[in-house]
Amino acid sequence: MKPRWKGKGSEAKASSDPMSKIVSQLHSSLIQTETCGLLSSCSVLVEVDAELADLLNRACFGRPRITSEKDKQWFQLDMEETFYLCFSLKCLKVMGEDGSTKSNEELWEYFKSKKPVFPIHYKAYSHLRHKNWIVKLGLQYGVDFVAYRHHPALVHSEYAVLALPEGDNDLNGRLRVWSDVHCTVRLCGSVAKTLLIVIVNSNGLGANSPSCLEHYTVEERTITRWNPEQSREDQGGLQNQIKEGII
Amino acid sequence: MRSILKTETKTMMKRIATYPGLYPDYNLDISNARWIDDLAMAEVVEKKGKMWVTTGTIRNVNTYCSIEETVFLVEIGALHVLDRNGMYLSLKELYEKLSDGKSGCNWEVFEVYRNLKSLGYVVGRHGIPWSVKGQKIKSGTCSLESSQESNELLEMEQENKNSIIELFNNMRITEVTPAFHVYLPNSKFRKSSPGDPNFILCMSR
């Protein structure tokens, strides 16, 4: 499926403003301002000035909160977004409400306690983010994440992502039965997205510390429906489909 | 077509009127409250605006706001809250109070509350009566966090809660707890006789 850009000029705009550059600017700005977030249940709240708010919006980290405060803006970050900024990019610190700074190990344990499947989700999230995809939670589509080629204002998301552990690990019980595969593919089709499975192999390392992540391996697979009635004439199309490993 | 639009605009403007501060041009009155640590609630000192019809619980003659009501009103600029030393509590300090677990609410539950309140629904904690005359406010009342097993409830609410939990248990849904009573938007809402809620909102782990 080709990327669906929103309106004329969006594709050109995206090309001239690469996400890698925006994220790099965000990284510098966060370090410079020594920004610190407040940990609150499964979210992290950050108070930022206008420049940082703009970068967070453009790099698609967090959601802005609408408040009546005039000079500062509050953003709320998900667990994966927070950990990416703290652990992978090393540009954000997080504090508990008691004022103590949380180390990456403490955050790791805390997030795992909130979501046991966090290591797998996080590996998939960071894997895609490193490749400059914008990754957001995919709850409304019944999947783990949705991936955008660039900012959601410019393009529709192309992939609905499920992060699955390698092997019989029952942490994430998705796609274990044919009916789930069928439903999920069908749903993805209705919202014009391709189902992308990110298979995370922990290589027997477990998940005791975030340093284990380095040795996890990732494999990507897309699943789409092959329609025999529509594929008879198109020899070129069939070749492409075989390459992508379609069911 | 024009007449339908007119009615819709009127309804919308009425709803906006209940939240002074969110649309600053409309109403500049800001209410005042005092945060009480022991109760983990704000005691309203000065009420301004129509939002008090559907916000805050009454005990005897005083109105109290739960943490979620307080944070919501401060976020939209409709309330100023003072601490015990008479200093204004910033939004940051209020978010910290929301996160410390002592006020019986957490971030996700607050987001649910905020979302529905912004849409105009009347939202109150499950198990907490809107208005009780002749009785002082109890501390440590009903927690919204699903991990809390024992909640203090007044007798009349106890039966209600048990039957809902029972219904869920019969369906083998055991990780759901009732959190809020939700009423459709109603400018004539009466705390002394709210009637049955239109929805009971439950949170699941």
Side-chain angles (χ1 to χ4, degrees), chain A residues 38-43 45 47 65 67-69 74 76 97, chain B residues 74-77 91-92 95-96 99-100 107-108 110-111 114:
Chain A
L38 169 67
L39 184 60
S40 188
S41 193
C42 300
S43 296
L45 306 169
E47 195 178 13
R65 291 197 64 74
T67 70
S68 60
E69 291 206 332
W74 283 92
Q76 88 189 53
E97 34 65 44
Chain B
V74 172
E75 269 195 340
I76 63 172
L91 201 47
K92 178 163 191 261
Y95 285 152
E96 281 165 0
S99 314
D100 70 12
W107 185 258
E108 285 76 47
F110 167 66
E111 275 286 85
R114 188 196 58 84

